Amino acid sequence: MPNQSPIERPGLAGRASEVRKPGALLPIRLTGASAATGLAMLICVLLAPAVQLRAQTGTGDSSKPEDEYHLGYDAGYQAGLRAAKEKLVTEGGATGTSGNQPATTPEDSSAPPATDAGSSNAASRIKSLWDDMVNHGADNQDTVFHHSQTSPFWLSAQANFIAQLHPRFHAQYSGPNSLDHAEEQSVSRVVTVYTGFQFDDSTELVLDAESSGWSGLSQGLGLAGFVDLDVVRNPQLSAEPYLARIWLHKVIRLSDENVEGERTPLSLLTTLPARRIDIHVGKVSLPDFFDLNSVGSDSHLQFMNWTVDNNGAWDYAADTRGYTYAIVLEYYDHDFAARFAEALEPTVANGINLEWNLQNAHAENYELEYDLHLIPGKFGAIRVLGFTNYANMGDYHFAIDQFENQKNRTLTVPNIEEHPGTQALKYGVGLNFEQQLNEQVRVFMRAGWNEGQHESWAYTEVDQTALFGWDVRGDWWHRPNDKWGVAFVVNGISRRHRQYLALGGLGFLLGDGNLSYGPEEIMETYYNFPITRGLFGAFDVQYINNPGYNRARGPVIVPGLRLHIEL
């Protein structure tokens, strides 16, 4: 699964450059072998103006303001150093110190001049950036290292470790894809390196490498709302590092008004038009753009359950690790946002390989978002999501009829994978809401539905879901940086999906060999707290009634511990 944004996202009212507002409303459709060619051509078109601008500006003119990227890299870099030093002087006051780093004046000769020789200049630049990362951070910041708000480069990393166990629980029977009813323990890990480069004030490149491994309880099987979002659903995948994200982001200005924000590992742009179109092209995780919720979207600092951090009925296009290639278009206009994505589907359910011929498989995702003002001065938002998936998916009704009407009895159970090679349509909708009540308390909810006639394809085996929860900041018990959250979620599946599992059929997550259907009911609570700068711990407990929709099994309690590092 893709790891979520490393720092909790505050919502559209918080960071305009961090929360992505809806995009373009024209479904761009590539077909056949033209998909890869079209993707490469679009990247070149978007990148060309930025490259041309850098070629024209050179190293800049020292007589012009030095806080613009248009002066070129060297002048922009120098301006960043001077801005950082001026900030140190301001924060240090009369003593001229800030944190662990002695303050200097903007004219300090230690700054590498823009006219130095190439190798000397590069070495000085790297040393200064390193010193800035190590020594200029506040003790209460969220990362171990300080990250520049002016450098065109970005480099950071995170590591997330989740340890979970469950005691032995009641089970009348078990199947190949059951959650093991015997006592078991597991530890999962996800390590991500984030890099980025800002070409100018409207163009950036994001490139992330990742490694995930170890294991989840029962190898990630047996629960629709699985208890650890970091677990990859295929234990046979290699733990070798892989390319997680690489996308080009281009902003098209539609107004003179700007909104300001801080950088994040997924966006370096700090000044953006209030009304604009954003274009993202490349390898992405769709939950980085859609179904975001500042109370429950981040398995690194918030909840851990699959159907709490994401809408369980949203069968979003992704490979086994949670990533796909896509074009994401977003339109922003103050409190309103709209998004559209055209994405690649896996070649098989829960598959690692993607289908590049869009005539065979493709996915569209749509979202409308509006920032509410129900409580003056408190952020709230409502989001409406829709999706359509086209792929060579099996049909539960067909699989059941094929099994029950077979003449030579070659099938002992229905098999969703045994079907003609035809393109099928799966579609669904979702609702996402959040509201800040006061300075300490936020509430959130999700609801989702999909047609449930075709097999679960890429995320999890949920056809209906409803969620409600909240989080509370620790001001009331004098721990303002701590967070306590609680969520309740109920998941369900369609009648045909139930019948398929009851006959012994297997999905890519579920299959107890039989089924006494009951909705999967989950309660999760966590307590997250900072240990030191950039290091966080959390306690988590999940209670699951009817695991895998089976009243003949469970309930099961899953306590867990999390250690999260932000570099």
Side-chain angles (χ1 to χ4, degrees):
M1 300 301 298
N3 61 293
Q4 304 296 303
S5 177
I7 299 298
E8 178 182 337
R9 287 167 280 204
L12 295 179
R15 277 241 315 103
S17 64
E18 178 181 1
V19 180
R20 314 180 186 287
K21 277 190 171 180
L25 307 175
L26 296 177
I28 295 180
R29 300 288 296 275
L30 301 175
T31 59
S34 65
T37 303
L39 185 63
M41 291 177 63
L42 185 53
I43 290 176
C44 292
V45 170
L46 295 176
L47 195 56
V51 174
Q52 182 179 17
L53 178 61
R54 282 193 169 271
Q56 292 173 347
T57 54
T59 57
D61 183 350
S62 59
S63 65
K64 296 179 181 180
E66 294 184 318
D67 60 348
E68 299 290 341
Y69 273 99
H70 299 156
L71 296 182
Y73 173 78
D74 288 324
Y77 171 77
Q78 296 300 321
L81 290 181
R82 281 191 287 274
K85 292 178 179 179
E86 288 171 356
K87 182 179 179 182
L88 289 179
V89 172
T90 302
E91 293 178 349
T95 63
T97 60
S98 175
N100 300 322
Q101 177 70 13
T104 59
T105 65
E107 295 76 23
D108 190 340
S109 61
S110 64
T115 57
D116 282 353
S119 59
S120 175
N121 191 24
S124 300
R125 183 179 301 155
I126 293 172
K127 181 178 184 301
S128 296
L129 286 174
W130 175 256
D131 289 343
D132 180 66
M133 289 175 63
V134 173
N135 297 320
H136 291 183
D139 288 338
N140 63 348
Q141 72 180 24
D142 290 325
T143 59
V144 173
F145 299 117
H146 171 69
H147 297 288
S148 171
Q149 295 295 301
T150 56
S151 170
F153 297 100
W154 178 275
L155 176 63
S156 66
Q158 70 82 32
N160 206 53
F161 305 91
I162 295 178
Q164 293 178 317
L165 62 86
H166 70 73
R168 185 179 183 87
F169 63 89
H170 168 74
Q172 293 182 17
Y173 50 82
S174 298
N177 288 358
S178 292
L179 182 70
D180 192 347
H181 72 281
E183 178 182 344
E184 62 174 335
Q185 306 85 31
S186 69
V187 179
S188 68
R189 63 156 177 84
V190 172
V191 179
T192 313
V193 176
Y194 301 94
T195 68
F197 183 78
Q198 182 175 347
F199 295 95
D200 57 28
D201 58 2
S202 66
T203 312
E204 63 181 349
L205 180 70
V206 172
L207 190 155
D208 301 341
E210 190 169 86
S211 174
S212 61
W214 300 347
S215 66
L217 296 173
S218 298
Q219 303 296 326
L221 300 174
L223 295 170
F226 194 73
V227 291
D228 182 356
L229 188 61
D230 288 354
V231 169
V232 176
R233 294 161 295 188
N234 184 348
Q236 305 303 320
L237 286 180
S238 170
E240 294 293 324
Y242 52 89
L243 179 65
R245 301 175 179 90
I246 177 169
W247 78 66
L248 183 70
H249 176 203
K250 177 67 178 179
V251 176
I252 300 176
R253 177 178 289 274
L254 300 178
S255 70
D256 294 331
E257 182 184 355
N258 290 328
V259 291
E260 303 294 332
E262 295 181 358
R263 287 179 164 187
T264 73
L266 300 184
S267 181
L268 280 67
L269 303 179
T270 57
T271 301
L272 290 167
R275 190 162 66 91
R276 67 187 186 275
I277 292 174
D278 286 7
I279 304 174
H280 309 264
V281 182
K283 189 176 186 181
V284 304
S285 174
L286 290 178
D288 288 337
F289 303 92
F290 295 84
D291 193 44
L292 290 172
N293 193 297
S294 60
V295 187
S297 281
D298 186 357
S299 63
H300 295 169
L301 296 173
Q302 299 174 330
F303 300 96
M304 303 179 192
N305 192 281
W306 287 14
T307 54
V308 176
D309 284 329
N310 293 315
N311 190 319
W314 176 34
D315 201 0
Y316 66 87
D319 62 17
T320 309
R321 292 189 170 105
Y323 299 96
T324 186
Y325 286 88
I327 299 174
V328 181
L329 306 173
E330 303 181 283
Y331 172 75
Y332 289 80
D333 188 356
H334 297 86
D335 291 339
F336 173 76
R339 298 179 183 85
F340 170 81
E342 183 79 18
L344 301 184
E345 290 280 11
T347 56
V348 297
N350 191 37
I352 191 62
N353 297 315
L354 298 172
E355 174 58 73
W356 282 86
N357 189 338
L358 299 190
Q359 292 177 332
N360 295 333
H362 55 89
E364 290 77 45
N365 294 263
Y366 318 83
E367 188 172 64
L368 298 177
E369 179 170 4
Y370 184 72
D371 291 0
L372 304 172
H373 301 280
L374 299 178
I375 302 176
K378 301 295 184 288
F379 175 71
I382 187 168
R383 306 170 184 94
V384 179
L385 173 72
F387 74 93
T388 53
N389 293 340
Y390 295 87
N392 185 24
M393 294 178 283
D395 182 290
Y396 291 117
H397 193 177
F398 179 87
I400 293 168
D401 286 349
Q402 180 179 242
F403 169 71
E404 293 180 339
N405 298 326
Q406 61 180 319
K407 296 180 180 180
N408 53 10
R409 308 305 297 178
T410 57
L411 295 174
T412 58
V413 296
N415 186 351
I416 195 70
E417 298 178 356
E418 295 288 336
H419 61 85
T422 59
Q423 188 183 79
L425 167 64
K426 184 173 185 177
Y427 57 90
V429 295
L431 183 67
N432 178 322
F433 169 81
E434 63 177 287
Q435 178 63 56
Q436 183 181 3
L437 301 181
N438 54 39
E439 294 302 319
Q440 291 78 35
V441 181
R442 303 179 297 181
V443 297
F444 78 120
M445 63 83 64
R446 282 190 176 97
W449 171 91
N450 67 56
E451 46 88 35
Q453 302 307 305
H454 295 93
E455 64 177 311
S456 300
W457 191 246
Y459 186 45
T460 188
E461 296 196 46
V462 174
D463 298 329
Q464 308 101 31
T465 187
L467 161 74
F468 174 75
W470 65 84
D471 69 8
V472 180
R473 203 170 68 187
D475 300 57
W476 293 339
W477 53 94
H478 309 293
R479 297 273 302 179
N481 294 319
D482 292 8
K483 189 71 65 64
W484 169 56
V486 179
F488 301 89
V489 61
V490 178
N491 300 319
I493 52 177
S494 68
R495 180 175 65 87
R496 290 295 184 183
H497 198 164
R498 302 175 202 175
Q499 186 180 0
Y500 173 79
L501 294 175
L503 290 171
L506 300 179
F508 64 77
L509 288 177
L510 303 180
D512 294 332
N514 198 347
L515 186 68
S516 301
Y517 179 76
E520 189 177 74
E521 302 165 336
I522 301 170
M523 186 280 291
E524 180 179 5
T525 182
Y526 75 89
Y527 188 90
N528 191 79
F529 54 92
I531 299 172
T532 186
R533 196 171 88 177
L535 183 63
F536 301 85
F539 302 103
D540 184 89
V541 176
Q542 300 181 51
Y543 175 90
I544 303 102
N545 192 36
N546 305 328
Y549 307 110
N550 203 333
R551 291 184 288 108
R553 311 184 85 247
V556 58
I557 298 175
V558 182
L561 298 173
R562 177 176 60 206
L563 180 66
H564 181 67
I565 305 169
E566 281 289 338
L567 299 176

